[in-house]
């Protein structure tokens, strides 16, 4: 159950109204509720769902001490002596409270349908489409590498033509020219050859795979702020609450993505001789983004022991059948089944827990990701073809010009 997963725990004091005293303990946040446990007795003194909270405010107790109040029904809960500080806890609680209120109720229940022949047929079609799209992506990738090699060859030809131009200019210089170099006219011709270098391809439009609100932490847990995470085909974009860019991670520059819990990840880019760039992201919507991160960074993503343990705790219930890949794939600490595994198990009847709605959702996510990557690669190759065409034309003109100059010398 989600109520057994502790997203975060903070040291604080809770005002126990029945005894008129502050009790030290831990404030626990789960995906659906807030709890407080006393340090000495371990007793749960307060527990209420996030959906029942009507207000979260920063206040002061006895007009001096900073406190956080949660208004639940007609009861106001007071928390003080908050560690690391009040702002951090307020930002995290407000984020999960807001997302809990915005989440559509009852949407998951629609996915709890039973297997039908039509559903199995649709799943088979999706699997076939996924296989064909994967093959197409591999062909496009190989074709893109060939285009890159062609561009490198053309660059080499241009550099060699520059050398030939300098040598011909030396031969064309009269013996009385005192500087042993080129004439001003020849120099101007060489300069003109470089006036129109190969235009760098403009940045193609990038497909947005997923966009979620997050709580952003950098160096320490004492400084967190709300923002957003956008996963694109070419990388990751982290913005603040005003949609201003905080950092851009190119897909090739990300060194590792560590999943601490289903709701918290850490993205790192390493450097030699200077500090690493590291962002810690916490979000109620993170389970929706983790499957896409796993597709984009399959060789760089790591799941911590706590993440796998929490995945075991959060087993898919009947109303969660239509959940994310994370909920199904990491259940019981095992990898998500591949298309072939699903087909084999479906035929052999070995695993009745893998329902078509769940696996269809997984395939659709993969299809979306593959389609966006294919679109971006096609646009990049179109731009590469334009650059290759202009480079070939320029090289042909240079070769013709050099041939004319050679014929004049002979």
């Amino acid at each position: 159950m989600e109520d057994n997963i502790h997203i975060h725990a903070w040291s604080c004091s809770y005002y126990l109204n029945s005894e008129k005293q502050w009790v030290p303990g831990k404030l626990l946040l789960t995906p659906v509720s807030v709890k407080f446990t006393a340090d000495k007795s371990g007793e749960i003194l307060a527990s209420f769902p996030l959906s029942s909270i009507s207000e979260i405010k920063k206040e002061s107790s006895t007009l001096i001490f900073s406190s956080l109040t949660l208004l639940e029904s007609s009861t106001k809960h007071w928390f003080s002596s908050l560690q690391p500080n009040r702002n951090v806890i307020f930002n995290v609680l407000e984020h999960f409270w807001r997302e809990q209120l915005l989440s559509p109720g009852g949407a998951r229940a629609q996915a709890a349908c039973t297997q039908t022949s039509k559903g199995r047929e649709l799943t088979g079609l999706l699997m076939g489409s996924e296989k064909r799209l994967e093959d197409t992506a591999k062909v496009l990738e190989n074709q893109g590498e060939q285009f890159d090699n062609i561009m490198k060859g053309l660059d080499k030809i241009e550099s060699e033509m520059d050398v030939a131009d300098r040598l011909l200019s030396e031969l064309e210089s009269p013996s009385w020219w005192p500087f042993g170099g080129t004439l001003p006219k020849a120099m101007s011709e060489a300069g003109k050859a470089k006036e129109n270098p190969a235009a760098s391809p403009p940045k193609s439009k990038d497909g947005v795979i997923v966009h979620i609100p997050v709580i952003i932490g950098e160096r320490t847990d004492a400084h967190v702020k709300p923002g957003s995470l956008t996963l694109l085909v070419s990388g990751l974009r982290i913005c603040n609450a005003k949609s201003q860019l905080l950092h851009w991670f190119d897909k090739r520059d990300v060194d590792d993505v560590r999943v601490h819990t289903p709701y918290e990840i850490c993205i790192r880019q390493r450097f030699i001789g200077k500090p690493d760039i590291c962002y810690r992201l916490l979000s109620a919507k993170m389970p929706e983004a983790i499957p896409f991160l796993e597709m984009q960074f399959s060789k760089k993503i790591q799941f911590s022991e706590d993440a796998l343990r929490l995945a075991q705790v959060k087993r898919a219930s009947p109303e969660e059948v239509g959940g994310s890949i994370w909920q199904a794939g990491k259940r019981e600490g095992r990898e998500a089944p591949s298309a072939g595994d699903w087909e084999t198990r479906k035929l052999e009847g070995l695993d009745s827990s893998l329902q078509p709605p769940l696996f269809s959702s997984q395939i659709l996510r993969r299809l979306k990701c593959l389609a966006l990557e294919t679109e971006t690669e096609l646009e990049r190759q179109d731009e590469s073809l334009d650059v290759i065409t202009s480079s070939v034309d320029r090289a042909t003109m240079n070769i013709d010009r050099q041939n004319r100059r050679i014929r004049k010398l002979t």
Side-chain angles (χ1 to χ4, degrees):
M1 298 294 291
E2 290 188 337
D3 203 38
N4 294 327
I5 300 177
H6 292 164
I7 296 174
H8 223 302
W10 301 279
S11 297
C12 67
S13 296
Y14 174 68
Y15 185 72
L16 193 57
N17 195 42
S18 59
E19 299 182 9
K20 305 297 182 184
Q21 65 175 356
W22 291 92
V23 180
K26 295 282 186 182
L27 176 62
L28 304 175
L29 173 65
T30 76
V32 295
S33 66
V34 176
K35 301 178 183 179
F36 178 84
T37 59
D39 281 342
K40 291 184 178 180
S41 62
E43 181 184 359
I44 299 178
L45 300 181
S47 179
F48 44 90
L50 285 168
S51 58
S52 68
I53 299 175
S54 57
E55 187 179 44
I56 301 177
K57 290 181 63 176
K58 300 176 185 178
E59 298 189 40
S60 298
S61 57
T62 64
L63 304 178
I64 299 176
F65 302 106
S66 62
S67 300
L68 195 65
T69 61
L70 277 67
L71 183 60
E72 182 252 337
S73 299
S74 59
T75 306
K76 179 177 281 192
H77 302 272
W78 287 78
F79 301 92
S80 189
S81 302
L82 302 161
Q83 297 295 329
N85 59 62
R86 181 176 64 174
N87 290 334
V88 170
I89 301 174
F90 174 81
N91 287 333
V92 175
L93 286 178
E94 186 187 41
H95 167 80
F96 279 86
W97 172 54
R98 187 192 309 115
E99 295 301 326
Q100 180 70 22
L101 293 180
L102 293 176
S103 62
R108 295 176 178 174
Q110 298 178 357
C113 59
T114 59
Q115 295 190 31
T116 62
S117 59
K118 291 291 184 181
R120 288 192 293 270
E121 183 180 353
L122 177 60
T123 302
L125 291 174
L126 288 174
M127 285 162 39
S129 301
E130 179 189 13
K131 183 67 170 60
R132 287 184 176 272
L133 194 53
E134 284 180 350
D135 295 340
T136 304
K138 290 177 182 178
V139 172
L140 280 175
E141 184 180 2
N142 294 332
Q143 181 174 288
E145 291 177 356
Q146 294 175 6
F147 284 161
D148 293 338
N149 293 332
I150 292 173
M151 294 177 68
K152 289 178 182 178
L154 288 171
D155 290 340
K156 186 177 180 181
I157 290 174
E158 287 194 6
S159 64
E160 291 175 350
M161 293 302 297
D162 289 339
V163 174
D165 183 72
R166 287 196 297 271
L167 293 175
L168 285 172
S169 299
E170 290 283 346
L171 294 173
E172 291 172 344
S173 301
S175 58
W176 52 264
W177 183 248
F179 302 105
T182 60
L183 290 169
K185 182 179 179 181
M187 292 175 62
S188 63
E189 288 180 358
K192 288 180 181 178
K194 293 185 179 181
E195 284 181 359
N196 298 315
S200 59
K203 186 176 180 182
S204 59
K205 59 181 181 180
D206 209 350
V208 176
I209 298 176
V210 67
H211 176 82
I212 59 171
V214 295
I215 299 296
I216 304 169
E218 291 188 56
R219 295 295 176 187
T220 63
D221 293 335
H223 298 88
V224 301
K225 50 193 173 184
S228 64
L229 169 67
T230 305
L231 175 60
L232 301 104
V233 173
S234 59
L236 295 166
R237 184 171 62 214
I238 299 176
C239 300
N240 60 16
K242 298 180 180 179
S243 298
Q244 297 173 340
L245 182 65
L246 294 179
H247 191 75
W248 165 257
F249 285 101
D250 191 89
K251 184 177 179 180
R252 296 167 295 181
D253 296 336
V254 175
D255 289 306
D256 65 72
V257 178
R258 187 163 183 82
V259 181
H260 296 282
T261 72
Y263 300 90
E264 187 174 10
I265 66 171
C266 183
I267 303 171
R268 185 184 302 275
Q269 180 181 358
R270 291 189 171 88
F271 295 94
I272 298 175
K274 61 179 182 178
D276 299 343
I277 296 178
C278 181
Y279 283 88
R280 201 176 184 99
L281 306 176
L282 180 69
S283 175
K285 299 290 186 181
M286 195 61 72
E288 299 178 8
I290 288 178
F292 295 112
L293 289 170
E294 195 171 1
M295 295 176 200
Q296 291 286 82
F297 306 100
S298 57
K299 297 181 180 179
K300 300 177 181 178
I301 193 167
Q302 300 176 358
F303 293 89
S304 66
E305 293 181 1
D306 290 340
L308 295 176
R309 178 176 55 82
L310 291 175
Q312 292 176 3
V313 173
K314 187 177 181 179
R315 298 174 184 272
S317 58
E319 62 272 10
E320 290 176 334
V321 173
S324 65
I325 306 174
W326 164 255
Q327 296 169 1
K330 294 305 173 184
R331 189 170 67 241
E332 299 179 0
R334 55 187 171 89
E335 297 293 331
S338 63
D341 292 340
W342 159 250
E343 185 66 21
T344 302
R345 293 182 183 184
K346 184 184 71 172
L347 293 175
E348 296 179 356
L350 296 179
D351 193 349
S352 60
S353 65
L354 298 175
Q355 301 292 331
L358 171 61
F359 198 69
S360 299
S361 174
Q362 176 181 349
I363 298 177
L364 287 173
R365 291 173 188 268
R366 287 188 56 81
L367 285 174
K368 177 183 177 181
C369 188
L370 287 169
L372 289 172
E373 288 183 345
T374 303
E375 180 186 10
T376 302
E377 180 63 22
L378 282 173
E379 292 175 354
R380 188 188 73 85
Q381 291 185 17
D382 287 342
E383 295 166 356
S384 298
L385 282 174
D386 292 338
V387 175
I388 290 172
T389 303
S390 60
S391 297
V392 169
D393 293 340
R394 187 165 52 253
T396 303
M397 293 175 60
N398 286 336
I399 291 172
D400 292 341
R401 186 172 64 252
Q402 306 300 358
N403 287 335
R404 290 195 298 269
R405 294 170 68 182
I406 291 172
R407 283 195 292 268
K408 287 182 181 179
L409 289 173
T410 57

